[in-house]
Amino acid sequence: MKLEIKDLHVSIGDREILKGLTLDLPKGQVHAIMGPNGSGKSTLSKVLAGHEDYTVTSGTVLMDGVDLLALPIDQRSRAGFFLAFQYPMEIPGVSNANFLRAALQARLPKGQPIDAVAFYKQLYAKMDLLKMDRSFTARSVNEGFSGGEKKRNEILQMAMLEPKYAVLDETDSGLDIDALKIVSDGVNAMRSPERGILLITHYQRLLDYIKPDVVHVMADGQIIKSGGAELALELEERGYDWLTKAA
Amino acid sequence: MSSATLDSPAVPLAKSVFPDAPAWDHAAVPAWFGASQRAAWDAFARLPLPSRRDEAWRFADLKHLALEGYVVDASAAAAPRASLALLDHAAARFVFVNGHFQESASHLPGGVQVLRLAEALAIHGDRLQAVLQPPETGLGSAKFAALHHAQLADAVVIAIAAGQELEHPIEIVHLLEGPRAASFPRTIVLAEAKAKVAVLEHHLSQGPGGLSIGAAQLVAAEGSTIHYALLNRLGAGSKAMHFSTVAAGRDAQVRHSLFNLGSGWARTECRSLLEGPGSRSEMYSVSLAADGQEVDQRTLQDHLSPHSYSDLLYKNVLFDTSRTIFAGLIKVDEGAHGTDAYQKCRNLLLSDDCEANSMPGLEINADQVKCSHGSTTGRIAEDELFYFESRGIPRLEATRLIAVGFAQEVVAKIGHPAMEALIGQAVEERFAQQGA
């Protein structure tokens, strides 16, 4: 059981951004992708979620054997894929609770109403874990949230939707140390043999709090090196140049 | 008594209709009131129909002004058939069908001065003369304001004594029954110093058609507060016009909200007069237009005193081949220094064939003024839809949630929980009916 990305080529317009990316994320593991700006990290996350600006020219992505790229965006989510956005959208007028309710309702058979009591019980438990005030249930999705609150809200959504595979796109950016710790605790609480997590990050700092099983280095649309957690430390010390030049 | 017909205003209505129209004995009311109705009738006959060149009717489809064949039903109409979605608690409730008061469905407790027109004239008499005139807003519909006044057979007059605060809103229901029925709802709210009152007015149909030409006059004395909301859920084949005048005295606060969820054609005019220093006026509106509906709204925020504040937010959601028109003016008169005035119209387009017209305007004749006005028109951003879809919410449901959210943002400004709940529910139902 794994998320299996094989020789993925992706373009935006005429420009190729992913140039044959291959990566296996087995269930039960946490992987990290690090790499310099413009290496294609965010493109990877958006392509997996199904963003229409990107064209997959070749390659495959299988999620537990299912062709992820053949599914419409909403079906990918319901099949168990999750993307924590680098820049979460603000949705005026739609409360956080209604947003999550709609997402969970979409997972139920048509006509089956959601159990509101169980929903709020679960929601409050997850919010407590992320140290989010109850007032966030009634507030419009991400509207007027601080950077850290938005990222916490992404992890709250992940906790409520319980995906099989989650990609966290620079969830650490813009977080102060306290927020980083809370968000990391939230992610660590979701580590499970039933779930694969892929962290996309610039900084080794996040990996002090969420220990990855594997670290991949991405440059120019490909994975150029993979290793254990110690690879992140080496990157922190030496930068990316020694790798990109060698490649 | 027989029914009377309203002829086409292009051929001025037969004057012989007039004596039949008001359902009461003019001998029993003050002479000035009878005279005002007769003068209004003359004015209606005399004033020309709006033309294409008329700025106040720019972008409007004038075919909606054909008012042939509507009937002033002088006989008592049937009691309400529909089960009405009303407030759980109302300080008082008036129900009218085709302009006829329905005593059994109404609820008029003592202690609150909420009166029908005849009682109000009997008690307040000449004190009403200043407000009981044609409800002209100066925004284009003088002819139809005159028709409204001439046809007036009843009204709701709410007079809140100084310092009195009502816990629950006063609720007024106007039902149109029958495809050619005409109704002329009139609501007058007089809040004396430091009084506080909320009014919810429903316009509903028991059939597909009908004509409603209504008016509201909100007069807020020093330090008083009036919250008024009009919920239009008339049938899709009906036409609705509504004229509001707000007059806010020193430090008074008036909130005027319109929710156009029904009627095939709606024209609203709202004029806010900031008469007293420190007065506040808020004007809100949500319109949901579908099929070939046209919603045409004209507003004026007129600052006559220093340090007054006004805010306007009108939102339109457009489906299918619907059209909306917004024309608003902020006018800051000489001497109205320290004015704060804002005006915003926002249009959400949900089809390729709809059309939103916005004409925001400013006219400033004073110093030290903070004003802004603007209009935005657009579709739902792809990135917003992507965010919803990435959480497993289908695109159609995402569109519905975003559009409902766009509208509910205004509902949340009503400022009265029970009214917000009821109107919020009506908005949800209207969207559900749209299948969006």
Side-chain angles (χ1 to χ4, degrees), chain B residues 89-91 164-170 196-198 416-418:
Chain B
H89 303 284
Q164 192 180 5
E165 285 190 21
L166 296 191
E167 185 190 353
H168 300 299
I170 289 165
K196 195 172 177 186
V197 61
H416 198 289

Side-chain angles (χ1 to χ4, degrees), chain B residues 47-91:
Chain B
L47 290 167
L49 271 173
S51 81
R52 290 200 171 283
R53 288 183 301 279
D54 197 337
E55 185 62 24
W57 291 85
R58 199 166 162 212
F59 297 117
D61 186 343
L62 299 177
K63 77 163 191 276
H64 298 295
L65 294 174
L67 303 180
E68 292 94 342
Y70 289 104
V71 171
V72 179
D73 181 5
S75 60
R81 279 187 281 113
S83 61
L84 307 172
L86 300 176
L87 295 169
D88 290 336
H89 303 284

Side-chain angles (χ1 to χ4, degrees), chain A residues 61-123:
Chain A
V61 179
L62 299 179
M63 186 167 80
D64 296 344
V66 173
D67 181 359
L68 190 69
L69 301 179
L71 299 178
I73 307 162
D74 55 329
Q75 283 186 33
R76 294 184 194 194
S77 168
R78 298 199 297 272
F81 180 81
F82 183 86
L83 169 64
F85 282 57
Q86 183 180 1
Y87 302 110
M89 294 297 298
E90 296 191 7
I91 313 288
V94 179
S95 74
N96 241 345
N98 279 350
F99 182 71
L100 282 167
R101 235 179 128 133
L104 289 168
Q105 181 72 61
R107 285 160 167 78
L108 296 175
K110 213 174 157 63
Q112 184 185 324
I114 200 164
D115 179 342
V117 176
F119 167 73
Y120 277 101
K121 198 175 159 197
Q122 190 192 6
L123 179 59

Side-chain angles (χ1 to χ4, degrees), chain B residues 246-380:
Chain B
V246 168
R250 177 185 287 271
D251 298 325
Q253 302 188 25
V254 182
R255 189 172 297 154
H256 180 280
S257 311
L258 296 169
F259 299 90
N260 297 307
L261 308 181
S263 72
W265 175 65
R267 162 96 180 187
T268 73
E269 297 179 4
C270 184
R271 176 177 60 159
S272 248
L273 304 174
L274 285 302
E275 291 179 340
S279 55
R280 289 174 67 92
S281 158
E282 290 158 289
M283 297 153 84
Y284 300 125
S285 171
V286 171
S287 299
L288 194 153
D291 302 321
Q293 251 178 308
E294 181 176 293
V295 180
D296 179 358
Q297 298 185 283
R298 317 274 162 159
T299 65
L300 173 66
Q301 295 152 265
D302 197 353
H303 289 259
L304 303 158
S305 268
H307 305 291
S308 51
Y309 167 92
S310 73
D311 185 27
L312 178 148
L313 176 62
Y314 273 38
K315 285 192 175 184
N316 299 312
V317 182
L318 293 91
F319 293 89
D320 312 322
T321 56
S322 62
R323 305 177 75 231
T324 61
I325 302 155
F326 168 78
L329 179 66
I330 294 175
K331 193 162 165 252
V332 182
D333 290 31
E334 271 179 56
H337 306 302
T339 286
D340 260 358
Y342 306 94
Q343 181 197 84
K344 194 180 252 176
C345 174
R346 294 188 61 195
N347 303 304
L348 181 61
L349 310 179
L350 294 179
S351 91
D352 293 332
D353 305 315
C354 56
E355 177 190 317
N357 303 281
S358 301
M359 295 171 279
L362 268 181
E363 186 188 315
I364 299 175
N365 303 306
D367 304 322
Q368 294 174 319
V369 164
K370 265 198 280 177
C371 285
S372 76
H373 72 315
S375 150
T376 61
T377 299
R379 296 166 197 291
I380 296 175

Side-chain angles (χ1 to χ4, degrees), chain B residues 98-111:
Chain B
N98 293 349
H100 294 272
F101 183 62
Q102 305 293 312
E103 190 154 17
S104 59
S106 301
H107 150 66
L108 308 178

Side-chain angles (χ1 to χ4, degrees), chain A residues 148-177:
Chain A
E149 286 165 349
K150 283 182 182 170
K151 296 302 176 72
R152 259 189 264 183
N153 209 30
E154 292 293 289
I155 303 305
L156 175 67
Q157 291 173 20
M158 171 170 145
M160 290 297 287
L161 299 180
E162 300 180 327
K164 294 178 190 158
Y165 298 94
V167 176
L168 278 57
D169 190 3
E170 302 204 11
T171 296
D172 52 333
S173 65
L175 295 186
D176 61 29
I177 202 74

